[in-house]
């Protein structure tokens, strides 16, 4: 018996049927088991070589002074910058502090700018994240909230997964369910190609614990609109 997977189907549809629609396969970023057997230097060398082939196939002249350094630049950018969040070694180290001020209301860090990349077309996702939590006895440095967002953004992503990954990380670190994450982003796979709609944006949210009621959601939304 031939399974749907063997036929190349996903939930009964082909890749062409799915087209530009996004698939959200799970909370974890899909990674190979041997993803970190190569060193970063080895990965850069291999990516540079492969990207040279792509450029060559496209008909670009790699002997041109403007282009000959491009494969190495792209490789360095992929590993050290825009996809650095794939490597657990780059995960931000988080220190917590006692809530000595006894501040028991929500704390909101809003308008955290991030740049990610759509895992379906490898083109940018540009947006802002709003993060909130209520202390269970510990507090986190404000800049660490930004760093957590950036860490999970710097990998091929789906916005729904990014939202949940940030929320689950904060819940684990702060030992509380009282966490909220809202992401408002523009996807260049929508605005620069495909339907080429430059005016639309995508909003995703996670409301946990005390945030998972209408009154608290309205309070959070009012805070974000200040």
């Amino acid at each position: 018996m031939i399974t749907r997977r063997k036929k190349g189907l996903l939930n009964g549809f082909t890749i062409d049927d799915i087209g530009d629609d996004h698939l959200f396969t799970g909370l974890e970023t899909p990674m190979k088991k041997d993803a970190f057997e190569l060193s970063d230097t080895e990965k850069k060398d291999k990516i540079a070589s492969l990207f040279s082939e792509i450029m060559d196939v496209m008909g670009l002249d790699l002997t041109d002074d403007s282009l000959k350094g491009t494969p190495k630049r792209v490789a360095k950018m992929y590993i050290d910058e825009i996809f650095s969040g794939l490597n657990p070694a780059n995960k931000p180290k988080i220190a917590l502090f006692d809530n000595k001020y006894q501040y028991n209301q929500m704390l909101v860090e809003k308008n955290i700018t991030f740049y990610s990349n759509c895992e379906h077309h490898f083109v940018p996702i540009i947006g802002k994240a709003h993060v909130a939590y209520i202390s269970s006895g510990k507090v986190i440095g404000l800049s660490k909230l930004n760093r957590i967002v950036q860490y999970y953004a710097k990998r091929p992503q789906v916005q729904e997964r990014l939202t949940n990954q940030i929320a689950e990380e904060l819940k684990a670190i702060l030992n509380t369910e009282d966490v909220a994450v809202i992401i408002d982003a523009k996807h260049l796979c929508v605005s620069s190609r495909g339907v080429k709609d430059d005016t639309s944006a995508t909003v995703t949210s996670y409301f946990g614990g005390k945030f998972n009621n209408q009154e608290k959601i309205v309070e959070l939304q009012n805070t974000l609109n200040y």
Side-chain angles (χ1 to χ4, degrees), residues 115-118 122-126 186-189:
Y115 297 87
S116 189
N117 277 267
C118 164
F122 271 46
V123 292
I125 301 171
I126 303 170
K186 182 179 288 292
H187 294 239
L188 266 67
C189 61

Side-chain angles (χ1 to χ4, degrees), residues 16-34:
D16 290 335
D17 290 333
I18 294 168
D20 291 344
D21 292 338
H22 285 194
L23 297 175
F24 180 27
T25 56
L27 178 63
E28 298 299 325
T29 301
M31 298 288 289
K32 294 166 44 180
K33 291 182 179 179
D34 62 351

Side-chain angles (χ1 to χ4, degrees), residues 3-224:
T3 65
R4 283 182 170 181
R5 181 173 294 278
K6 288 182 179 179
K7 288 180 180 179
L9 300 182
L10 298 169
N11 296 325
F13 297 95
T14 68
I15 294 296
D16 290 335
D17 290 333
I18 294 168
D20 291 344
D21 292 338
H22 285 194
L23 297 175
F24 180 27
T25 56
L27 178 63
E28 298 299 325
T29 301
M31 298 288 289
K32 294 166 44 180
K33 291 182 179 179
D34 62 351
F36 303 106
E37 286 187 2
L38 294 178
S39 68
D40 283 357
T41 298
E42 290 171 321
K43 288 181 179 181
K44 289 175 195 176
D45 289 342
K46 192 164 187 177
I47 290 170
S49 175
L50 294 170
F51 202 78
S52 294
E53 290 187 34
I54 292 173
M55 294 177 68
D56 181 65
V57 170
M58 292 172 64
L60 295 170
D61 181 4
L62 282 163
T63 66
D64 184 88
D65 287 344
S66 180
L67 295 178
K68 62 185 178 183
T70 297
K72 287 187 177 180
R73 285 191 289 265
V74 169
K76 184 176 186 300
M77 175 183 68
Y78 275 12
I79 298 300
D80 293 344
E81 299 177 61
I82 65 175
F83 297 132
S84 61
L86 288 172
N87 191 339
N90 295 325
K91 191 172 184 178
K93 294 177 174 58
I94 306 296
L96 297 179
F97 306 93
D98 291 331
N99 185 10
K100 295 182 179 180
Y101 296 111
Q102 296 300 303
Y103 181 75
N104 298 315
Q105 301 301 310
M106 67 179 182
L107 183 147
V108 183
E109 182 83 357
K110 66 179 185 177
N111 295 326
I112 301 172
T113 300
F114 72 87
Y115 297 87
S116 189
N117 277 267
C118 164
E119 69 180 34
H120 300 113
H121 294 96
F122 271 46
V123 292
I125 301 171
I126 303 170
K128 293 187 181 297
H130 314 292
V131 176
Y133 75 94
I134 299 171
S135 174
S136 62
K138 297 289 185 178
V139 295
I140 187 173
L142 295 180
S143 68
K144 300 303 183 183
L145 296 174
N146 297 61
R147 292 186 184 279
I148 290 169
V149 171
Q150 302 299 344
Y151 172 69
Y152 284 104
K154 289 181 178 179
R155 55 179 69 182
Q157 270 294 11
V158 175
Q159 187 170 327
E160 297 94 324
R161 182 194 295 131
L162 174 60
T163 304
N164 287 343
Q165 285 180 333
I166 294 168
E168 292 298 328
E169 183 69 15
L170 289 172
K171 285 165 56 179
I173 291 171
L174 293 164
N175 192 29
T176 180
E177 293 290 322
D178 304 331
V179 165
V181 178
I182 300 174
I183 292 180
D184 186 344
K186 182 179 288 292
H187 294 239
L188 266 67
C189 61
V190 173
S191 61
S192 69
R193 55 161 306 282
V195 295
K196 297 182 180 178
D197 182 351
D198 191 45
T199 59
S200 64
T202 302
V203 179
T204 49
S205 60
Y206 178 99
F207 300 112
K210 294 178 181 178
F211 286 100
N212 197 21
N213 69 74
Q214 193 60 37
E215 182 179 342
K216 209 65 179 177
I217 291 173
V218 170
E219 181 185 350
L220 175 57
Q221 288 174 334
N222 288 338
T223 300
L224 295 178

